[in-house]
Amino acid sequence: MSNAEQPVTGIEVPIYLQYEFTAGAALTRFLASISEGRIVGQRCPECAKVYVPPRGSCPRCGVPTDEEVEVSDHGIIESFTITHIPLPGNPLKPPFIAANILLDGADIACLHLVSELETDKVRVGMPVRAHWKPREEWGYTFENITYFKPIEGA
């Protein structure tokens, strides 16, 4: 079989996708609170669950949420994954830990990075706290929290 007759087994195609995102009212208030160093969720008026980040409505009951609730920047790891493969365009170098973190006062976990520990030491139920950027670097972004780290002695 000549090279012209070889089956194609792969192809590389450069692609660029640009996304634009507009935060709704609930997320705008959430980002404003983050810019002040506070984490705010919303409580469902029917089931009383607190969602962080807020969605503007309860995903369980389908009703609007508008009662804001400040939650802690401490929580526990509910689940995690360790990424060993580099992701194109991602500044994070493997291995790194992404975890679902249930913040104290919230009823649903939020996804964030976990750092300052070896990957073989991470565990479900591990207490963690937010590591915030220096205040002068804060903006309207969840990236004000660089990552979560284990709580010493817990």
Side-chain angles (χ1 to χ4, degrees):
M1 210 182 259
S2 71
N3 280 345
E5 298 171 350
Q6 294 291 322
V8 176
T9 59
I11 184 171
E12 286 188 32
V13 179
I15 188 167
Y16 176 76
L17 300 174
Q18 182 174 337
Y19 294 93
E20 292 187 21
F21 173 79
T22 302
L27 196 52
T28 297
R29 287 192 302 273
F30 170 76
L31 294 174
S33 74
I34 287 290
S35 75
E36 299 168 351
R38 301 178 306 115
I39 303 172
V40 173
Q42 288 184 337
R43 183 185 324 274
C44 173
E46 289 190 16
C47 69
K49 301 272 187 214
V50 175
Y51 297 99
V52 176
R55 292 143 177 85
S57 64
C58 177
R60 180 177 173 205
C61 303
V63 298
T65 54
D66 55 18
E67 179 190 351
E68 293 189 345
V69 178
E70 187 166 347
V71 300
S72 175
D73 68 351
H74 290 62
I76 61 164
I77 294 175
E78 280 198 331
S79 63
F80 64 90
T81 187
I82 301 170
T83 301
H84 293 277
I85 300 170
L87 303 171
N90 189 334
L92 297 173
K93 302 297 178 219
F96 60 89
I97 304 164
N100 284 308
I101 300 168
L102 182 62
L103 298 173
D104 295 344
D107 291 297
I108 192 168
C110 60
L111 181 66
H112 216 300
L113 296 172
V114 176
S115 193
E116 294 193 27
L117 79 157
E118 298 296 320
T119 56
D120 64 342
K121 303 289 189 227
V122 65
R123 62 179 168 74
V124 170
M126 175 179 274
V128 292
R129 68 178 175 87
H131 178 268
W132 294 78
K133 286 181 180 179
R135 189 172 194 95
E136 60 274 7
E137 296 177 24
W138 288 358
Y140 291 87
T141 173
F142 205 23
E143 291 177 352
N144 290 351
I145 298 173
T146 345
Y147 54 82
F148 283 78
K149 63 184 183 178
I151 296 175
E152 292 181 32

